[in-house]
Structure formats: structure tokens, C-alpha cells
Amino acid sequence: MDTRQMLVMFSYVVLTHMTLGNIDEFDCVDIYKQPAFQHPLLKHHKIPEKFTSNESFDRKNKYKTNDQSCPKGTVAILRQRSETESLHLDTIYQFGHHFAFMDASSFETIYRGAQADISIHNLTLQNNQYSKSQIWLENGPIAELNSIQVGWAVHPRVYGDSATRLTIYWTGDGYKKTGCYNTECPGFIIITRKPSIGSIFKQSSVYGDKPVTFTPQVVQGFFGNWALTVDDEIIGYWPGELFTHLNKGASRVRFGGNTFMSPDGISPPMGNGHVPIYDYERSSSFLHVKLTNDKYQSIEAETQMGVADSKCFTLISRDYTNETGKSFSFGGPGGRCGV
């Protein structure tokens, strides 16, 4: 039984959201009958009480379209409108990818979390392209890579449109047999009763105006679970059972953009589609970039610049200020960027 069949079988309320002309349906699914619990390692998993008892939700999130929520004991899961089999692997070693990111990595340092204020932008893409602005938390060798990814994405092949949406991804074995977007396979456990993962951001930045941002944060708890909050609202978590290396913490954290080109060799725009300049109102940016260290202290990120494709996309690091914290800007228009 695939994910869609499970949702139809176990849902009894459907929430309908319209944003920017797009209509999305979210199924209200019993919290213990959501796709995550079909994973063989999660058959007997119990959601920590601190998650199930959390009913104080922040209503300022930019991806909220109204105050609809599912009944108590259920969670809201986006009903996918597009097939997602054989999607492009989100790895720097895969043909067709381009990256512009800041890299925080060390052979001696383990990170327990990361967060940033990410500017939100609307883009128009072809069906086989995607463009993302996100955070990666990773550990393990390439063949066994454990990766958690969270941010925004424009991904027509996943969503069936070019809307900018809250998007997550994970893999536990270097993209071979495990991992997927959002809840398209068993893994990520949703906690919130409000539509969240896969939702369209109802606000986005306008070129020349103060940027609109959202703040995703991923933090590993003491029992190995990696919890996701967005704008201080708990969304859900990746159970520690999914991972063989991330359960020890993250050895590498990246912040930035990633695109995938169409079959004709055209890469889509990244960020806001413009080359970054020293003006936040005209650039795509990450602000207040922070890490959680092995002592669970929030610290300013000490990062190294790493741009995978400087022909189409660039990245500029910025000086620390009280207003923006550790920050950088990135992006570009795309085009024929090479492979």
C-alpha cells in the first residue's frame, strides 16, 4: 500500500487551503497512522510526551494560510498531486546539480543543531527543474551518508506547480534505498495539527524591499531525535532510529542554495534569481546563521565559503552585525552553467 492509499484510508477530515491561486488539500490523519509508522524500525516507536503535550502554536508563520487545524489526536499531511518516483538525488555528486553554500565542517567538532533566517522568494521553473534554499545536517561517509535537509523549495515535479513551499528531505544510506521529500516515505513524524510540511509561503520578498524571512531550526534531543521547529513552532521530528551516523550528531552543516537543471541543460535561478550584492533588499540571504554545539549551546556559525558553480551562481560573506548576525547572500539567474 503506497502513501496516498494510506492517507485516504486513515483520514476523516480534509483541510482545503488556497494560496496565490493554488489549492492544496491536507488529510487529517491519526497521529500514529501517519506514513512514518510504516517504517519497520518505527513500528513500536512512541512519540515523546513533550511533543504530544505541546499545543501552543505560533500563528505568525509565513506559510500559514488560515487558522484551520486538524482535530486533536490527528496531524495534517499534504495530499501530493504529483508523482515523485525517480526524483533527482540531492547530492553534490549527482549530474545536473549546482550549489552555492557556506560550509561548517570539522573532523573534531560535532554539531547538535542549526538554524538561520532564510529569505523567501518566488521563482518560475520548468517541470524537471528545482531550486532550493536550505540547511543540510550530515554525517557519515558518502556511501552511508545520513542527511537531513530543511528550507524552501520550488519543485514542480514534487508539487505539480512552481509555488515556494516549506520542504524537507532525508536519507539514511547515501540516497540509495532510504529517504524522500516530506512524508512521501516513512520517516519524518509530524506533530503539529496545522498544515505545515509542503505548505506554500503566503508572503515572499519583493526585490528592493525589506526581505521576508522564515526561521527553520533543527536540534537533536538527548534521545537522538532531530526536532524541527519553524518560527518557534514545533513541526515534528526525524526519529534517531532512521540514522546510523546522525544519531551521533552532525559532522557537517551547510547553508545555502541548490538547483537542478532541465534535460536541455538549463539551470533554474537560485535564491531570488539575481547575482547577490551588498544590499539585503536586492539579494537572497541567510541571516543569523547559528549552530548548536556538542554542549547544546547556540553559537554563531564559523563557516568556510564553498561555491560549487561560480559561472552562474555566486556567494558573498558579510561582516557580523547585531542586526543580521552571521550572514551571507547568494544566488544567480541560472542558465547554461555546465554540468
Side-chain angles (χ1 to χ4, degrees), residues 118-129:
I118 306 176
S119 61
I120 305 167
H121 303 278
N122 290 331
L123 302 170
T124 300
L125 273 64
Q126 299 178 34
N127 183 57
N128 209 46
Q129 298 173 328

Side-chain angles (χ1 to χ4, degrees), residues 12 17 41 70 135 160 175 177 235 251-252 264 266 270 297 306 328:
Y12 57 92
H17 280 187
L41 296 178
C70 289
I135 302 171
Y175 304 92
K177 294 182 179 180
I235 302 300
S251 60
R252 183 184 191 188
D264 59 5
I266 302 297
M270 179 189 293
Q297 300 167 323
F328 66 91

Side-chain angles (χ1 to χ4, degrees), residues 34-54:
Q34 62 180 292
F37 290 95
Q38 298 299 310
H39 195 291
L41 296 178
L42 301 180
K43 292 289 187 181
H44 304 292
H45 181 88
K46 296 297 182 183
I47 298 172
E49 185 178 353
K50 69 175 183 178
F51 290 140
T52 57
S53 63
N54 188 340

Side-chain angles (χ1 to χ4, degrees), residues 29 31-32 34 37 45-55 57 70-77 183 188-197 226-228 233-238:
V29 180
I31 194 169
Y32 276 104
Q34 62 180 292
F37 290 95
H45 181 88
K46 296 297 182 183
I47 298 172
E49 185 178 353
K50 69 175 183 178
F51 290 140
T52 57
S53 63
N54 188 340
E55 291 292 335
F57 298 118
C70 289
K72 191 172 182 179
T74 68
V75 295
I77 296 180
T183 57
F188 184 79
I189 296 177
I190 291 180
I191 297 300
T192 179
R193 293 191 287 126
K194 293 179 176 291
S196 56
I197 300 300
W226 289 87
L228 169 64
E233 176 183 340
I234 181 68
I235 302 300
Y237 65 98
W238 291 269

Side-chain angles (χ1 to χ4, degrees), residues 4 22-24 26 78-84 87 127 130-132 151-169 181-184 196-200:
R4 292 177 181 80
N22 297 85
I23 299 177
D24 288 330
F26 286 81
L78 177 66
R79 183 177 292 181
Q80 295 288 140
R81 293 180 296 166
S82 182
E83 295 297 324
T84 58
L87 287 175
N127 183 57
Y130 72 58
S131 186
K132 304 177 184 179
W152 65 254
V154 178
H155 203 323
R157 194 168 173 186
V158 170
Y159 297 113
D161 57 38
S162 280
T164 304
R165 297 172 180 266
L166 177 65
T167 302
I168 62 174
Y169 189 94
Y181 284 97
N182 302 340
T183 57
E184 281 299 288
S196 56
I197 300 300
S199 289
I200 299 171

Side-chain angles (χ1 to χ4, degrees), residues 88-103:
H88 334 290
L89 302 182
D90 189 7
T91 168
I92 197 170
Y93 304 101
Q94 181 77 4
F95 174 86
H97 283 271
H98 296 288
F99 294 83
F101 58 80
M102 296 290 284
D103 196 350

Side-chain angles (χ1 to χ4, degrees), residues 46 50 53 76 110 116 221 234 246 261 299-300 305 314 325 328:
K46 296 297 182 183
K50 69 175 183 178
S53 63
I110 287 294
I234 181 68
L246 271 175
M261 68 184 189
I299 59 174
E300 298 293 334
M305 184 179 296
T314 56
F328 66 91

